[in-house]
Structure formats: C-alpha cells, structure tokens
Amino acid sequence: MRIALINGSPKLNNSNSAFMLKGLETFISTGNDIIHYTINRNPLTEEQYLELCGMDILVIAFPLYIDAIPSHLFRMFVTLEEYMKTERKKDIYVYAIANNGFYEGKQNHIAFEIINNWCLRCGLHFGQGIAQGGGEMIGFMEKVPLGHGPLKNLGNTMKALAANLQARQTEPSALFSPNFPRFAWRFAATHFFWNASAKKNGLNKKVIRKRL
Ligand SMILES: Cc1cc2nc3c(=O)[nH]c(=O)nc-3n(C[C@H](O)[C@H](O)[C@H](O)COP(=O)(O)O)c2cc1C
C-alpha cells in the first residue's frame, strides 16, 4: 500500500509529531511504500498534492493548537480538499496522530472532529485518531522504547493503530495521558521544560506572569 506520513508540526526539528511518526513507521515499514511529507518550511507543491490523491492511506501527525489544528495544517487541508474533489481515483483512509501540551490527551477530541468533518467534505474515510497528552515529555524519551515506562499507552495504542491502518479499518479514536503521575509531570514540565524554554528566549518568571 502507498502510505503518506504527513508531519503537521511547524517545528523545524525534533517535533513530537516526528517522534510519533517514526514510532508508527517501525510497525508498518514492511511491504508498504511510505512517503514522508512536511509542511514546516514550505507548502506542498502541486505535484505533492496530486501524489496524495493517489495514496491508499494518509497519516497526519500534528500538535494541538488552541484545541484545534495549527493554521498551516488547516491551509494544507483547504487546498488538498480541492484536489481530492477532482483528482481522487480510489478510496483513501485517513488516520490522525495528535499530541498536546496539557496532560490530558482527551483534549484532542475537537481536533479529531475537525479532521473527521474534513474527511466527509473530501469523500475520504476517517479511520481513527490516537492522541497523547503531555506531548513535550516525548522529546525526553528518545531512549525509552515504545510500549514501556511513560510510553506504555503510546506504544500499545500505536501498535493497534498500525494494525487498523494496514487493514484499512475504522475504529473509535483513542485519547490518553502518559503513564506518569500528573503531579510529577506538571513539576517536571514547569521547571525543566517551560521555564527553561522561557529562559532560552530571554524571558523570566516575572515577565511570564505579568498581566497585560
Ligand atoms: C500556539 C500554540 C497553541 C497550543 N495550544 C495548545 C492547546 O490548546 N492545548 C494543549 O494541550 N497544548 C497546546 N499547545 C502545546 C502543543 O500542543 C505541544 O507543545 C505539543 O507537544 C507540540 O508538538 P510538536 O512537537 O509535534 O509540534 C500549544 C502550543 C502552541 C505553540
């Protein structure tokens, strides 16, 4: 089968979405033709849009932005919709892999509805979405094998997604949190991720807390 892996993160490097796609690829690389797409530097070309219309499966990985999808991904959807309406020759199944900053993966349910509605407009089948909360933790877990420790839910769900995808099956979406206590995640995210990122960008706690 021809499978498109689309990374919908605007990050240029080391996105959590890329990590998730890499994990999925380990389960589906045998016997399938896998083509990677990114939209973080440039929009897709006409040739790439036409190529997507000839896929058996589209996998779209993205970060949750304001309870929805990032705007550059939305723009890609709007353009791809026009191509799908005129150029699609066969049934295409769409699977989504979301991750978000808050602990609860269930926050991605509106984003999946957006993708489901887009599929309906294009005449595509929405197969399933999987969503991981505490997404920024993923970048620190490169050495942890999928399906173990904090990535236990992610690994198990990813495996099930890979099976559904290869059978072109429709299943209910799975939205979950990391296998890590919420309070510990909150502490680590605040001190080692958000504050550290703020410092790197020349901000301090006082500036962040300032009410405008
Ligand atoms: C503009 C913006 C909006 C965001 N909105 C949300 C949100 O509504 N809910 C949430 O849980 N996380 C939100 N996040 C956090 C991202 O979803 C999170 O950092 C994610 O892990 C990034 O994934 P990526 O590395 O694949 O881009 C937002 C981040 C940015 C930059």
Side-chain angles (χ1 to χ4, degrees):
M1 281 194 301
R2 281 174 70 73
I3 303 178
L5 301 186
I6 304 170
N7 184 342
S9 171
K11 288 185 192 167
L12 294 183
N13 299 302
N14 303 324
S15 67
N16 302 307
S17 302
F19 179 95
M20 311 266 266
L21 286 176
K22 212 164 129 196
L24 176 71
E25 201 171 343
T26 60
F27 295 119
I28 60 170
S29 53
T30 312
N32 292 311
D33 208 358
I34 295 178
I35 301 110
H36 297 262
Y37 298 86
T38 50
I39 52 172
N40 51 5
R41 282 179 202 275
N42 296 306
L44 297 181
T45 61
E46 177 167 17
E47 194 187 347
Q48 288 175 314
Y49 279 117
L50 290 170
E51 222 171 57
L52 288 175
C53 295
M55 294 287 161
D56 297 294
I57 289 167
L58 308 182
V59 181
I60 301 156
F62 63 95
L64 187 69
Y65 272 19
I66 329 286
D67 280 350
I69 60 174
S71 58
H72 71 306
L73 179 60
F74 180 75
R75 225 170 18 234
M76 187 210 82
F77 278 160
V78 172
T79 309
L80 185 55
E81 184 178 325
E82 295 312 310
Y83 281 93
M84 285 293 176
K85 282 177 179 166
T86 53
E87 305 295 333
R88 184 178 59 84
K89 306 275 181 311
K90 53 179 167 180
D91 278 352
I92 300 177
Y93 279 72
V94 175
Y95 296 84
I97 303 179
N99 85 93
N100 65 303
F102 290 127
Y103 184 77
E104 294 80 13
K106 65 182 177 202
Q107 304 215 8
N108 292 283
H109 72 103
I110 298 169
F112 286 165
E113 276 179 40
I114 293 171
I115 293 183
N116 190 18
N117 285 334
W118 174 75
C119 288
L120 291 171
R121 288 173 69 96
C122 298
L124 310 179
H125 305 278
F126 181 55
Q128 186 183 30
I130 69 166
Q132 162 88 56
E136 291 297 357
M137 187 197 266
I138 295 172
F140 297 95
M141 302 281 158
E142 234 180 333
K143 300 236 158 29
V144 179
L146 271 180
H148 292 83
L151 302 184
K152 190 169 171 200
N153 285 341
L154 180 62
N156 294 342
T157 316
M158 194 75 93
K159 216 173 181 173
L161 173 76
N164 294 334
L165 178 158
Q166 295 193 92
R168 298 195 353 137
Q169 221 161 258
T170 299
E171 287 291 331
S173 292
L175 300 90
F176 50 89
S177 302
N179 302 88
F180 197 70
R182 192 178 191 281
F183 75 91
W185 171 84
R186 203 169 156 207
F187 180 85
T190 305
H191 293 278
F192 304 120
F193 180 74
W194 295 115
N195 287 353
S197 301
K199 201 169 167 192
K200 230 193 286 175
N201 288 287
L203 301 168
N204 58 37
K205 279 189 221 167
K206 202 170 150 199
V207 177
I208 293 171
R209 291 199 183 123
K210 195 169 165 189
R211 285 172 191 259
L212 298 173

